[in-house]
């Protein structure tokens, strides 16, 4: 027998510390539950059916898959499930997390002096009305400074870029290597609070209802 959850109603389907901090800083009450999505399988299935996916479409596709995976748990009835995914685009190619030092090093050799786009997909499911699920992409252009080899080696050695889409974080050590952005700062961290407000409004909910 399912149990209706009252507060907090918002559940973030992500383990991202950056996304959690953004929600806390916005004064929102929430819980977390990590999705169990095979991202490669989801993307492969979409490409088999619809052809190659753009970086922005990939971000939204994976955000939707993560939200749906978590929202499928019976005990979450009445909860708002937010799925997010970030994909970095450079020269029209999509880049995810580098995972290894060698890949991060190669990535930063490309990023030095370059301009890319960070796409964050957002998908919100009200488990009381899943048919009304809604999503949106937020995209921010990031201008990188020219970074020398010693700086790249030091940054890679820090370990910070390994679990991050695009091999960087704007709210960490890499902030010293980012000249400017065009768009929303929070989005580069991984969750655009303004977009969340829009999705909540489309679901008939005011973001103020989620304030602590």
């Amino acid at each position: 027998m399912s149990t209706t959850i009252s507060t907090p109603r918002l559940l973030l389907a992500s383990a991202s510390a950056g996304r959690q901090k953004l929600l806390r800083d916005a004064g929102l009450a929430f819980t977390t539950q990590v999705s169990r999505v095979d991202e490669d399988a989801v993307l492969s299935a979409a490409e088999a059916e619809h052809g190659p996916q753009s970086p922005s479409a990939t971000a939204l596709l994976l955000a939707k898959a993560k939200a749906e995976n978590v929202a499928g748990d019976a005990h979450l009835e009445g909860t708002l499930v937010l799925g997010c995914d970030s994909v970095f685009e450079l020269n029209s190619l999509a880049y995810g997390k580098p995972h290894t030092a060698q890949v991060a090093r190669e990535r930063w050799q490309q990023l030095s002096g370059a301009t890319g786009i960070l796409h964050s997909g957002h998908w919100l499911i009200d488990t009381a009305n899943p048919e009304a699920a809604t999503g949106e992409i937020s995209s921010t252009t990031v201008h990188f400074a020219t970074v020398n080899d010693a700086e790249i080696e030091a940054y890679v050695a820090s370990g910070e870029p390994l679990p991050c889409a695009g091999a960087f974080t704007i709210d960490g050590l890499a902030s010293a290597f980012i000249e400017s952005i065009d768009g929303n700062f929070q989005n580069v961290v991984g969750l655009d609070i303004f977009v969340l407000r829009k999705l909540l409004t489309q679901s008939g909910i005011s973001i103020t209802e989620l304030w602590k």
Side-chain angles (χ1 to χ4, degrees), residues 17-53:
R19 292 186 181 114
Q20 292 176 34
K21 184 177 186 300
L22 288 171
L23 291 175
R24 286 195 298 270
D25 289 348
L28 302 178
F30 68 99
T31 55
T32 61
Q33 181 173 319
V34 182
S35 66
R36 303 174 300 279
V37 169
D38 184 333
E39 297 185 17
D40 291 337
V42 170
L43 184 56
S44 294
E47 291 178 339
E49 184 173 357
H50 303 292
Q53 302 292 295

Side-chain angles (χ1 to χ4, degrees), residues 4-174:
T4 300
I5 297 176
S6 52
T7 55
R9 295 185 61 205
L10 180 65
L11 189 152
L12 176 65
S14 171
S16 166
R19 292 186 181 114
Q20 292 176 34
K21 184 177 186 300
L22 288 171
L23 291 175
R24 286 195 298 270
D25 289 348
L28 302 178
F30 68 99
T31 55
T32 61
Q33 181 173 319
V34 182
S35 66
R36 303 174 300 279
V37 169
D38 184 333
E39 297 185 17
D40 291 337
V42 170
L43 184 56
S44 294
E47 291 178 339
E49 184 173 357
H50 303 292
Q53 302 292 295
S54 69
S56 60
T58 297
L60 189 60
L61 172 72
L62 295 177
K64 179 175 183 283
K66 292 175 181 179
E68 290 178 340
N69 177 266
V70 170
D73 288 354
H75 72 279
L76 295 180
E77 182 181 341
T79 299
L80 299 162
V81 178
L82 175 64
C84 297
D85 189 82
S86 295
V87 174
F88 184 70
E89 178 181 354
L90 184 67
N91 299 324
S92 300
L93 298 177
Y95 292 92
K97 304 171 184 177
H99 295 299
T100 70
Q102 181 59 32
V103 174
R105 185 179 298 108
E106 293 170 354
R107 191 76 49 78
W108 267 94
Q109 290 168 350
Q110 294 177 290
L111 292 178
S112 178
T115 294
I117 305 172
L118 196 291
H119 303 285
S120 285
H122 306 68
W123 197 268
L124 185 70
I125 299 175
D126 183 347
T127 57
N129 185 23
E131 295 77 15
T134 183
E136 186 169 318
I137 282 286
S138 180
S139 300
T140 301
T141 300
V142 183
H143 304 281
F144 294 91
T146 299
V147 185
N148 62 45
D149 290 343
E151 290 172 322
I152 291 175
E153 288 301 322
Y155 185 53
V156 171
S158 76
E160 181 182 275
L162 305 190
C164 301
F168 73 96
T169 61
I170 195 171
D171 57 342
L173 299 177

Side-chain angles (χ1 to χ4, degrees), residues 171-184:
D171 57 342
L173 299 177
S175 60
F177 307 141
I178 297 174
E179 289 187 356
S180 62
I181 64 171
D182 300 318
N184 185 283

